[in-house]
Amino acid sequence: MAGTLDILQIQKLLPHRYPFLLVDKVVECEPGVSLTAVKNVTFNEPFFQGHFPNQPIMPGVLIMEALAQATALLTSQSDDKLGEGAVYYLAGIDNARFKRQVVPGDQLRLSVTYLKHKRHLWSFDCRAEVDGELAASAQIMCAVSVA
């Protein structure tokens, strides 16, 4: 399947639910190549209560999780044997870099590009941007388990 995915389609592919589902929409997908998704960052996110009360900043680990969820979505769209019922696990993060803070009101644009896979391990080059400005980047590996 190429193209876009709405939140209901995403929920069929990922087991995550609020407050841990960190992808709101897939705006572009070319199976086996790349995927672009968005996460709308709102002030009512539960993590802002403690990170930080007077200066809300999205935790970097959650930006990495949002990117990891985007890699799972690209993986699900790239292999016909996967999809509903498959579970994706974060298997590795290399070269993570954080370049700007992500705050309430930002729209996080998640871009993942397929690098390679061997059996159940898939590798991706990942970028998170806000208004065209790099917020974070990393190479992320996910493992797939098919029930």
Side-chain angles (χ1 to χ4, degrees):
M1 171 199 215
T4 64
L5 298 171
D6 64 26
I7 191 65
L8 297 176
Q9 293 166 309
I10 291 168
Q11 288 181 319
K12 288 180 181 176
L13 298 169
L14 296 180
H16 307 80
R17 295 297 179 263
Y18 178 83
F20 215 69
L21 181 57
L22 298 173
V23 177
D24 293 326
K25 182 177 183 178
V26 172
V27 295
E28 184 179 334
C29 178
E30 186 175 347
V33 178
S34 65
L35 178 138
T36 303
V38 294
K39 163 65 177 151
N40 295 306
V41 181
T42 62
F43 185 72
N44 63 345
E45 305 278 359
F47 51 81
F48 285 134
Q49 292 179 34
H51 200 268
F52 299 102
N54 295 319
Q55 186 181 2
I57 299 169
M58 184 175 185
V61 68
L62 293 181
I63 296 170
M64 289 295 123
E65 175 63 26
L67 287 167
Q69 290 178 20
T71 68
L73 291 168
L74 178 54
T75 302
S76 76
Q77 300 304 291
S78 300
D79 188 330
D80 292 337
K81 294 176 229 144
L82 304 176
E84 290 182 44
V87 179
Y88 305 90
Y89 299 97
L90 178 59
I93 298 176
D94 292 319
N95 304 314
R97 297 290 179 264
F98 300 93
K99 300 296 185 178
R100 93 184 277 289
Q101 295 176 349
V102 177
V103 299
D106 284 345
Q107 184 178 70
L108 200 55
R109 190 170 185 87
L110 310 165
S111 300
V112 299
T113 303
Y114 168 79
L115 294 175
K116 63 183 178 180
H117 82 277
K118 186 173 183 180
R119 297 192 304 188
H120 68 284
L121 291 173
W122 294 64
S123 296
F124 302 87
D125 186 51
C126 305
R127 295 174 57 89
E129 298 179 349
V130 175
D131 296 328
E133 185 181 347
L134 182 65
S137 63
Q139 287 188 342
I140 294 179
M141 186 182 330
C142 76
V144 183
S145 174
V146 180

